[in-house]
Amino acid sequence: MSKPLISLKEGSSINLWQLLLALLFVIIAWLVSRFVAKFIGRKILKMMNISDDNVIIIQRLVFFVMLGIIVITVLSFLNVPLTAFAFISGAIAIGVGFGAKNVMDNFISGWILMSERPVRINDVVEMDSQLGRVIQVGNRSTMIRRIDGAHMVIPNSTLLQSNLINWTLVDPNIRNSIKVGVAYGSDVEKVRDILFDILSNNENVLKDPEPSVIFEDFGDSALLFEVWYWAQINTIRELRGIRSDLRFEIDKKFRENDIVIAFPQRDVHLHFADDVAKQLAKKLESSGSQQSIEDKSKGEQAEGSVEETEKSHKQS
């Protein structure tokens, strides 16, 4: 166990016993570092009312600082000078620069995301028409849970370079809208009053900013109205639930007040020009006269055949 395995230039050597002790120390120190980082995040930082994003940043800083202390301690225990890794570290840096460009790009982008915080944990974001909630910002990628329960794993560099919409970056207030069309002939002022009454009675709709009802347009088959309102959401399902509740209430109130929600319909008008009508009449007359001539000829042929049969009977 004490036989030298690796000889260094400075006259020192490393034996098998030292390697085993160093490996055991690294494993124990690694586990202790993870436990200490999580303990600091869960117990101490939570008591100080620090946000989840800052807790994760501090946990990772503590872990990497302890990891650096472990590396220096192991090298000191093995009597390995740091100058021995000067050439190796340079070669590794070049290899990492060329061979692991994307990994380093995502790693650096992860730290940028955690420092600038354009997205945070529990933020409601929209990316490529996909709506979801951020559940984890990692070193290499960010995980977003979509409204259908699927998880999107997006590289951090892609997240920084893409057009990302963060619905809750500043505050949880979100403006939403609902469109409805009523039949022509409906009392538009009554429709407006009903929509305002529905918005004012819904507890999830914020009173400030005030909701608004817009007479959008005269559509092909309906009078178009659009309702704008603000709501405070904590989950994505709340946004869909508020829209659903408002639509249920709109349908109910419109039925009670005999207001018809319009549906697509078309009026078809047939108009024939005089020349077309005359040509059609001539064709009908010509076809009728031709039919009468054919019927007359068929009748004469039938009479001739009857006379011939009578003559044949007499001769027989």
Side-chain angles (χ1 to χ4, degrees):
M1 297 291 290
S2 60
K3 183 179 179 180
L5 296 177
I6 302 174
S7 299
L8 301 177
K9 291 183 179 181
E10 285 76 4
S12 61
S13 61
I14 302 174
N15 55 39
L16 182 60
W17 177 249
Q18 289 176 325
L19 288 177
L20 292 177
L21 288 178
L23 180 61
L24 181 62
F25 175 77
V26 168
I27 295 174
I28 296 175
W30 179 281
L31 297 176
V32 171
S33 300
R34 290 176 60 89
F35 174 78
V36 170
K38 290 182 178 180
F39 177 79
I40 292 175
R42 292 178 181 178
K43 302 296 182 180
I44 300 176
L45 298 179
K46 288 292 184 181
M47 296 173 60
M48 300 171 62
N49 295 325
I50 299 178
S51 63
D52 295 336
D53 300 277
N54 292 328
V55 169
I56 292 176
I57 293 174
I58 295 174
Q59 283 181 345
R60 290 180 180 174
L61 288 175
V62 171
F63 176 74
F64 283 112
V65 168
M66 296 186 68
L67 191 63
I69 295 174
I70 292 171
V71 172
I72 294 174
T73 304
V74 170
L75 293 178
S76 176
F77 173 74
L78 296 176
N79 296 322
V80 177
L82 295 178
T83 56
F85 293 93
F87 176 77
I88 297 176
S89 60
I92 293 175
I94 295 174
V96 168
F98 287 99
K101 178 180 179 299
N102 292 332
V103 175
M104 293 303 298
D105 189 11
N106 292 325
F107 181 79
I108 296 173
S109 299
W111 284 98
I112 293 174
L113 287 174
M114 287 184 290
S115 60
E116 294 185 356
R117 301 175 65 187
V119 292
R120 302 162 300 183
I121 295 176
N122 294 325
D123 277 352
V124 178
V125 297
E126 182 178 354
M127 181 177 179
D128 296 335
S129 301
Q130 300 289 336
L131 191 65
R133 179 176 293 278
V134 179
I135 61 175
Q136 181 182 355
V137 180
N139 293 324
R140 188 193 65 83
S141 61
T142 298
M143 188 176 295
I144 299 175
R145 190 176 189 271
R146 296 190 317 194
I147 57 177
D148 58 359
H151 290 78
M152 299 171 57
V153 180
I154 303 173
N156 291 329
S157 59
T158 303
L159 196 66
L160 283 177
Q161 298 171 6
S162 62
N163 295 325
L164 180 73
I165 300 175
N166 193 335
W167 288 88
T168 57
L169 178 61
V170 179
D171 54 48
N173 296 338
I174 293 180
R175 198 204 74 178
N176 209 338
S177 63
I178 294 176
K179 294 183 178 181
V180 62
V182 298
Y184 274 89
S186 302
D187 189 348
V188 293
E189 294 183 355
K190 187 177 182 180
V191 172
R192 180 192 58 190
D193 295 338
I194 292 173
L195 293 176
F196 268 121
D197 183 65
I198 292 172
L199 293 172
S200 61
N201 292 329
N202 192 301
E203 59 182 7
N204 294 317
V205 176
L206 297 178
K207 304 302 183 290
D208 185 22
E210 294 182 357
S212 59
V213 178
I214 307 298
F215 192 166
E216 185 69 22
D217 198 2
F218 295 94
D220 294 336
S221 304
L223 303 173
L224 303 178
F225 287 83
E226 187 172 5
V227 176
W228 290 355
Y229 65 92
W230 288 81
Q232 185 176 12
I233 66 168
N234 295 316
T235 62
I236 302 174
R237 294 182 179 179
E238 290 182 6
L239 183 62
R240 297 168 61 88
I242 294 172
R243 287 201 300 259
S244 177
D245 293 340
L246 290 175
R247 290 191 179 105
F248 273 118
E249 194 66 21
I250 289 172
D251 182 72
K252 178 182 177 182
K253 293 295 183 181
F254 279 6
R255 289 178 184 272
E256 292 176 354
N257 292 273
D258 297 328
I259 296 176
V260 178
I261 296 178
F263 53 89
Q265 51 185 325
R266 296 289 185 273
D267 293 333
V268 180
H269 300 276
L270 300 178
H271 176 71
F272 293 97
D274 294 338
D275 295 338
V276 176
K278 290 178 181 180
Q279 292 178 3
L280 182 61
K282 288 180 180 180
K283 289 183 179 180
L284 292 175
E285 290 177 358
S286 61
S287 61
S289 61
Q290 185 177 0
Q291 183 68 28
S292 62
I293 294 171
E294 291 178 355
D295 293 340
K296 185 177 180 180
S297 62
K298 288 181 180 179
E300 291 177 354
Q301 292 177 359
E303 290 178 358
S305 62
V306 171
E307 291 178 356
E308 289 178 358
T309 52
E310 289 179 354
K311 288 181 181 180
S312 62
H313 282 298
K314 289 179 180 181
Q315 292 177 358
S316 63

